[in-house]
Amino acid sequence: MKGLIGKKIGMTQVFNDEGNLVPVTVVDVSTCQVVGKRTPEKDQYSAVTLGFGEIREKVLNQAQRGFFKKNNAGLRRHLKEFRVTPEDAAQFNVGDAVKADLFTKGQLVDVTGTTKGRGFSGVMRRWSFKGSQTKTHGTHEYQRHPGAIGQRKTPGRTYPNKKMPGHYGVDQVTTQNLTVVDVDTEKGLLLIKGAIPGHNDAIVYVRPSVKAALRAQHKAARG
């Protein structure tokens, strides 16, 4: 699986080749660089470590400085390993820039990011509860409450994983099968159809679609 680290710039809209207006999310992948490699001989698996975003050396700790110095790589703020085959890993060298043309126009991708934080939220916002429909006959201030959460004496407790009020957001979420509408290699931008997880300026990881790859494998196996 190849992939890129990017920064979510925000959303806009473009016209496609058919003249239809398409909402897209702009992802900046301009500073992606190979900063390390994993090999089956040394690490028992094959992977490429990408870095994204520039950073000053004084901000890094000693271990981080040693990692970049050992690999003779440029300093990067965010790191991420992408599992690849040994053949794909051989195509990259430490220090190589990985550009937006890793993906093509029309390709399906999966985008992983951290959702926006919503703080402590009630059940209607957090779990989309309908709420109480009883607004008369002595019911007071109970329209947005969760209702009963347990049983009587047996078992005498509330089951785990009950949908209740609590912290909402700041979860790692992957949105699958999004279409790459356009690729701007010069500016290092990907235009991806639809919304992706995270706030503006959030770090996201873009990979080829897993489901599309599985469909292709099944189709090839059927002949």
Side-chain angles (χ1 to χ4, degrees), residues 22-140:
V22 180
V24 297
T25 302
V26 182
V27 179
D28 177 16
V29 295
S30 59
T31 58
C32 276
Q33 185 184 40
V34 178
V35 297
K37 295 174 66 174
R38 302 289 187 180
T39 60
E41 297 78 17
K42 183 178 179 181
D43 306 291
Q44 285 73 52
Y45 69 98
S46 178
V48 172
T49 304
L50 292 187
F52 177 83
E54 297 178 354
I55 189 173
R56 294 172 298 166
E57 184 177 356
K58 65 179 294 185
V59 180
L60 301 174
N61 59 35
Q62 191 64 34
Q64 292 168 333
R65 294 192 196 117
F67 170 80
F68 291 113
K69 184 177 180 180
K70 178 181 177 181
N71 294 329
N72 293 321
L75 305 181
R76 288 295 182 264
R77 182 178 295 273
H78 305 281
L79 302 180
K80 177 70 173 177
E81 272 192 6
F82 292 91
R83 292 291 186 99
V84 295
T85 63
E87 293 76 17
D88 289 334
Q91 300 176 10
F92 299 97
N93 296 316
V94 175
D96 289 350
V98 185
K99 299 183 180 180
D101 57 6
L102 187 70
F103 297 102
T104 59
K105 185 176 179 180
Q107 183 177 354
L108 295 179
V109 295
D110 297 338
V111 182
T112 302
T114 303
T115 59
K116 295 180 181 179
R118 308 293 183 179
F120 191 97
S121 300
V123 292
M124 294 187 70
R125 187 186 194 196
R126 189 184 186 196
W127 303 111
S128 302
F129 278 22
K130 188 176 183 180
S132 173
Q133 302 303 301
T134 305
K135 299 182 180 179
T136 58
H137 302 292
T139 302
H140 297 285

